[in-house]
Coordinates of all heavy atoms in Angstrom, one line a residue:
F84 N 1.1 -0.2 -6.5 CA 2.3 0.5 -6.1 C 1.9 1.8 -5.4 O 2.6 2.1 -4.3 CB 3.1 0.8 -7.4 CG 4.4 1.5 -7.1 CD1 5.5 0.7 -6.7 CD2 4.5 2.8 -7.2 CE1 6.7 1.4 -6.4 CE2 5.7 3.5 -7.0 CZ 6.8 2.8 -6.5
A85 N 1.0 2.5 -5.9 CA 0.6 3.8 -5.3 C 0.1 3.6 -3.9 O 0.4 4.3 -2.9 CB -0.4 4.5 -6.1
A86 N -0.8 2.6 -3.7 CA -1.4 2.3 -2.4 C -0.4 1.8 -1.4 O -0.3 2.4 -0.2 CB -2.5 1.3 -2.5
F87 N 0.5 0.9 -1.8 CA 1.5 0.4 -0.8 C 2.4 1.5 -0.4 O 2.8 1.7 0.7 CB 2.3 -0.7 -1.5 CG 1.5 -1.9 -1.9 CD1 2.0 -2.9 -2.7 CD2 0.1 -2.1 -1.5 CE1 1.3 -4.1 -3.1 CE2 -0.6 -3.2 -2.0 CZ 0.0 -4.1 -2.8
K88 N 2.9 2.3 -1.4 CA 3.8 3.4 -1.2 C 3.1 4.4 -0.2 O 3.8 5.0 0.7 CB 4.1 4.0 -2.5 CG 5.2 5.2 -2.5 CD 5.6 5.6 -3.9 CE 6.7 6.7 -3.8 NZ 6.2 7.9 -3.3
A89 N 1.9 4.7 -0.4 CA 1.3 5.7 0.4 C 1.1 5.3 1.8 O 1.1 6.1 2.8 CB -0.2 6.0 -0.2
V90 N 0.8 4.0 2.1 CA 0.8 3.5 3.4 C 2.1 3.6 4.0 O 2.3 4.0 5.1 CB 0.3 2.0 3.4 CG1 0.5 1.4 4.8 CG2 -1.1 1.9 3.0
Y91 N 3.2 3.2 3.4 CA 4.5 3.2 3.9 C 5.0 4.6 4.2 O 5.5 4.9 5.3 CB 5.6 2.5 2.9 CG 6.9 2.4 3.4 CD1 7.3 1.5 4.4 CD2 7.9 3.3 2.9 CE1 8.6 1.5 4.8 CE2 9.2 3.3 3.3 CZ 9.6 2.3 4.3 OH 10.9 2.3 4.8
E92 N 4.7 5.5 3.2 CA 5.2 6.9 3.4 C 4.2 7.8 4.1 O 4.4 9.1 4.2 CB 5.5 7.4 2.0 CG 6.7 6.7 1.3 CD 7.1 7.3 0.0 OE1 6.4 8.2 -0.5 OE2 8.1 6.8 -0.6
C93 N 3.1 7.3 4.5 CA 2.1 8.1 5.3 C 2.9 8.8 6.4 O 3.7 8.2 7.1 CB 1.0 7.3 5.9 SG -0.3 8.3 6.7
S94 N 2.7 10.1 6.6 CA 3.5 10.9 7.6 C 3.2 10.5 9.0 O 4.0 10.9 10.0 CB 3.2 12.4 7.3 OG 3.7 12.8 6.1
V95 N 2.1 9.8 9.2 CA 1.8 9.3 10.6 C 1.7 7.8 10.6 O 1.5 7.2 9.5 CB 0.4 9.9 11.1 CG1 0.5 11.4 11.1 CG2 -0.8 9.4 10.2
P96 N 1.8 7.2 11.7 CA 1.7 5.7 11.8 C 0.4 5.2 11.3 O -0.7 5.7 11.4 CB 1.9 5.4 13.3 CG 2.6 6.6 13.9 CD 2.1 7.8 13.1
V97 N 0.5 4.0 10.6 CA -0.7 3.4 10.1 C -0.9 2.0 10.8 O 0.1 1.2 10.8 CB -0.6 3.1 8.6 CG1 -1.8 2.3 8.0 CG2 -0.4 4.4 7.9
I98 N -2.0 1.8 11.4 CA -2.4 0.6 12.1 C -3.3 -0.2 11.2 O -4.4 0.2 10.9 CB -3.0 0.8 13.5 CG1 -2.0 1.6 14.4 CG2 -3.4 -0.5 14.2 CD1 -2.7 2.1 15.7
A99 N -2.9 -1.5 10.9 CA -3.8 -2.3 10.0 C -4.6 -3.2 11.0 O -4.0 -3.9 11.8 CB -2.9 -3.1 9.1
A100 N -5.9 -3.2 10.8 CA -6.8 -4.0 11.6 C -7.4 -5.1 10.7 O -8.2 -4.8 9.8 CB -8.0 -3.2 12.2
V101 N -6.8 -6.2 10.8 CA -7.1 -7.3 9.8 C -8.1 -8.4 10.3 O -7.9 -8.9 11.3 CB -5.7 -8.0 9.4 CG1 -6.0 -9.0 8.3 CG2 -4.7 -7.0 9.0
N102 N -9.2 -8.5 9.4 CA -10.1 -9.5 9.7 C -10.2 -10.4 8.5 O -10.0 -10.1 7.4 CB -11.5 -8.8 9.9 CG -12.0 -8.2 8.6 OD1 -11.4 -7.1 8.2 ND2 -13.1 -8.6 8.0
G103 N -10.4 -11.8 8.9 CA -10.6 -12.7 7.9 C -9.4 -12.9 7.0 O -8.2 -12.9 7.4

Side-chain angles (χ1 to χ4, degrees):
F84 181 81
F87 302 168
K88 183 174 185 289
V90 170
Y91 182 76
E92 296 183 353
C93 185
S94 297
V95 298
V97 177
I98 299 172
V101 183
N102 63 292

